[in-house]
Amino acid sequence: MRQIFTLSILLLVTCGLRAQTGRPTAAQQVWHEREFYLFLHFGPNTFTDKEWGHGDESESLFNPTQLDCEQWCRIAKAAGARGLIITAKHHDGFCLWPSAYSTHTVRESPWKNGKGDVLAELSAACRKHGLVLGFYLSPWDRNHPQYGTPEYNDVYVNTMTELMTRYGKLFEFWWDGANGEGPNGKRQVYDFKRFEKVAAKLQPKAVIFSDIGPGCRWVGNENGLVGETNWGTLDTAGFTRGAGGPPYDSLFHGNFNGKTWIPAECDVSIRPGWFYHKEEDEKVKTPEQLMHIWLNSVGHGANLLLNVPPDRRGLIHENDSAALMQFAALRRQYFGKNLVADAQVQTGPRKQPKLHDGKPETASELLWKKGDVITVQWKQPQQLRYVQLKEYLPEGNNVTNFVIDIWDAEAKTYRQVGASTSIGPRKMITLPENTRSDQIRVRLLGARRAKVRLAEIEVF
Ligand code: FUL
């Protein structure tokens, strides 16, 4: 009896641990598919030209003249973004919704005579345009009188509850790491354990962003770049959010032996600042700069959160919108035609239809130790520039090392044109310019285990 009891405890513990052994949860798998979404920094700073408001800004400053969340959504959609995350509250404490737990909100502003709610308008627009929605709720609050006292944790939970119960399903929730002093000169000791519980209860499918997750991790920089070697796993033991976060290297690359799946999200602004400043109108990133970011974020298996701050009108500025449209056109031009559609894909004599059916949920098992090599063969030589591989997501990252060769018809031999390490959700390899061949092959040189499951191979 006792043995059975011990055995079941052991089983429970092992199964419990398995859920923690570095594989994405169902919610994280859905999150990975979001790939690219926009960040909206908007609030009093938009009107004062600051990046970090002090919290003493008058509510009367907040008065966008043409605020139009549908314009934001139309632009996001046309840019190929799948959603939006807005600063419901930044460090200055101003709430873009009429919170019952603050007196520093849209309700106290002249916008719509205090009857407006930016978040309600945005959630309606997102629903209409088929986009997902997320909120940034800064724990640091330079306005709230209770900041720096235990009561502020109640305030934070209450505002979080408003956000998580009023505006429909959220796909992500953002906990920024900044923790400065409040209006009374005190710093807050955040009750993150409690915040996590509330989030898990109210929005169990929302992925929570922070330096240590639990849903996804900061990548250690604000340039929109993640390491070419990018493990979805992270070790959080001993680390806290903010100043006590994991070292840069861990955030940038993940931890190969990390226990928990906490994948990277790359956040970056299309302008030098996070908030709109007129003097930055000519400093919007070019489509080529955005493409560089894309290849080094999405192309390395991370999600990309690109900030496009609305201006004082409450509109996305023409220059930002133009850059986004050209960036989308560039992606269509680069990745519009997957050449694998007209190719034979095999490992040895075995055809591998699941590797190029466009469905990441179907995968082929490869025995890399037995030398399984994927070959992609065309009837005619092709101009080749990018190869993208995807592992079967429910199993996390397993490949550790692979190379790409092309058949060199003149030299009658294979020639290596690319090599990399992790794959996970995605890995895009840029081949040398003017690569031309009728055959490429992918050789797996290392993995965590003898069998790996690949979901897709794409060639552009
Ligand atoms: C940082 C904040 O301090 C910045 O103002 C901005 O919101 C950025 C995304 O996160 O930590």
Side-chain angles (χ1 to χ4, degrees):
M1 185 64 192
R2 194 187 183 135
Q3 260 169 343
I4 293 179
F5 180 72
T6 323
L7 203 71
S8 21
I9 291 286
L10 209 70
L11 261 174
L12 267 175
V13 170
T14 346
C15 294
L17 280 179
R18 189 165 291 162
Q20 292 278 316
T21 50
R23 290 179 180 192
T25 62
Q28 286 170 321
Q29 290 174 41
V30 173
W31 175 88
H32 277 290
E33 285 161 21
R34 310 285 185 217
E35 241 177 40
F36 166 48
Y37 29 90
L38 300 189
F39 212 1
L40 302 159
H41 275 68
F42 188 55
N45 295 339
T46 311
F47 301 87
T48 57
D49 254 336
K50 286 184 199 151
E51 278 291 308
W52 279 8
H54 292 282
D56 57 0
E57 293 78 18
S58 162
E59 294 87 27
S60 67
L61 288 167
F62 185 84
N63 198 11
T65 48
Q66 301 171 47
L67 186 130
D68 182 3
C69 296
E70 294 227 6
Q71 187 241 17
W72 308 349
C73 288
R74 279 196 303 273
I75 290 173
K77 194 87 189 171
R82 310 242 161 94
L84 301 142
I85 299 180
I86 189 165
T87 52
K89 181 187 82 167
H90 201 250
H91 311 328
D92 56 48
F94 185 81
C95 301
L96 292 181
W97 81 104
S99 174
Y101 303 94
S102 167
T103 53
H104 192 50
T105 80
V106 281
R107 186 184 50 234
E108 287 74 34
S109 82
W111 178 61
K112 297 204 162 171
N113 293 318
K115 300 271 182 295
D117 180 342
V118 180
L119 307 188
E121 292 190 18
L122 181 56
S123 83
C126 280
R127 219 166 296 132
K128 179 168 163 189
H129 293 272
L131 293 160
V132 290
L133 176 64
F135 292 138
Y136 171 123
L137 183 68
S138 170
W140 184 22
D141 191 317
R142 302 177 95 181
N143 172 272
H144 207 283
Q146 284 175 314
Y147 188 87
T149 73
E151 287 72 49
Y152 176 78
N153 285 324
D154 299 334
V155 172
Y156 193 83
V157 164
N158 289 334
T159 49
M160 215 171 96
T161 304
E162 289 180 330
L163 297 188
M164 291 191 161
T165 54
R166 288 187 185 174
Y167 304 103
K169 253 201 219 135
L170 303 178
F171 86 102
E172 189 172 321
F173 206 81
W174 237 74
W175 286 340
D176 174 77
N179 174 5
E181 291 160 358
N184 54 12
K186 288 192 191 139
R187 262 170 214 259
Q188 181 71 27
V189 181
Y190 302 122
D191 192 350
F192 274 119
K193 276 268 157 306
R194 183 173 164 208
F195 304 167
E196 276 185 31
K197 271 192 204 141
V198 172
K201 182 165 162 239
L202 298 179
Q203 292 274 348
K205 291 188 179 157
V207 162
I208 308 278
F209 166 98
S210 85
D211 300 317
I212 51 169
C216 65
R217 70 172 192 267
W218 186 46
V219 75
N221 66 73
E222 294 180 335
N223 308 321
L225 313 173
V226 71
E228 161 143 13
T229 298
N230 171 25
W231 309 114
T233 41
L234 188 73
D235 259 326
T236 57
F239 298 113
T240 57
R241 297 180 173 90
Y248 179 77
D249 210 52
S250 295
L251 294 170
F252 194 61
H253 295 295
N255 298 127
F256 179 67
N257 287 317
K259 289 197 178 49
T260 322
W261 189 262
I262 306 179
E265 178 182 87
C266 296
D267 61 317
V268 60
S269 185
I270 199 164
R271 291 162 170 257
W274 289 102
F275 284 87
Y276 174 83
H277 309 292
K278 190 167 178 27
E279 77 269 13
E280 294 180 354
D281 281 352
E282 304 307 319
K283 294 185 181 158
V284 173
K285 289 188 173 59
T286 62
E288 290 73 23
Q289 286 172 313
L290 295 173
M291 182 56 95
H292 174 78
I293 288 172
W294 178 274
L295 292 172
N296 290 282
S297 55
V298 175
H300 291 176
N303 278 8
L304 172 60
L305 173 58
L306 177 62
N307 182 62
V308 184
D311 62 17
R312 289 186 186 179
R313 295 170 299 174
L315 297 176
I316 290 177
H317 190 271
E318 291 72 2
N319 293 2
D320 306 48
S321 156
L324 281 175
M325 294 311 110
Q326 290 162 21
F327 172 42
L330 214 53
R331 296 201 319 276
R332 280 194 296 274
Q333 182 193 323
Y334 283 31
F335 315 127
K337 187 167 189 293
N338 180 4
L339 299 172
V340 176
D342 311 318
Q344 280 268 22
V345 179
Q346 2 198 121
T347 50
R350 268 182 298 145
K351 288 200 176 137
Q352 295 288 2
K354 288 179 183 167
L355 280 178
H356 59 115
D357 57 2
K359 293 182 194 151
E361 65 276 16
T362 68
S364 294
E365 194 161 76
L366 303 186
L367 305 168
W368 71 273
K369 278 206 164 156
K370 288 208 172 150
D372 271 357
V373 171
I374 308 163
T375 58
V376 181
Q377 171 100 49
W378 292 273
K379 292 209 174 83
Q380 302 293 329
Q382 309 281 324
Q383 198 68 31
L384 309 168
R385 187 68 166 133
Y386 298 100
V387 176
Q388 180 160 266
L389 296 168
K390 292 179 180 170
E391 279 187 77
Y392 179 60
L393 201 49
E395 293 181 1
N397 298 103
N398 287 298
V399 174
T400 58
N401 199 358
F402 66 96
V403 295
I404 296 172
D405 307 319
I406 56 154
W407 175 250
D408 185 332
E410 257 170 49
K412 294 206 167 38
T413 180
Y414 284 102
R415 181 156 55 83
Q416 189 178 318
V417 286
S420 193
T421 49
S422 59
I423 299 178
R426 247 173 276 111
K427 173 58 70 68
M428 179 88 80
I429 303 293
T430 306
L431 306 181
E433 263 178 77
N434 297 320
T435 299
R436 214 181 147 75
S437 179
D438 62 354
Q439 199 194 121
I440 66 158
R441 63 177 194 182
V442 178
R443 281 184 292 136
L444 298 180
L445 300 184
R448 288 179 203 263
R449 44 195 193 152
K451 291 180 189 172
V452 294
R453 246 185 250 264
L454 280 193
E456 285 298 307
I457 174 164
E458 295 162 317
V459 181
F460 307 101

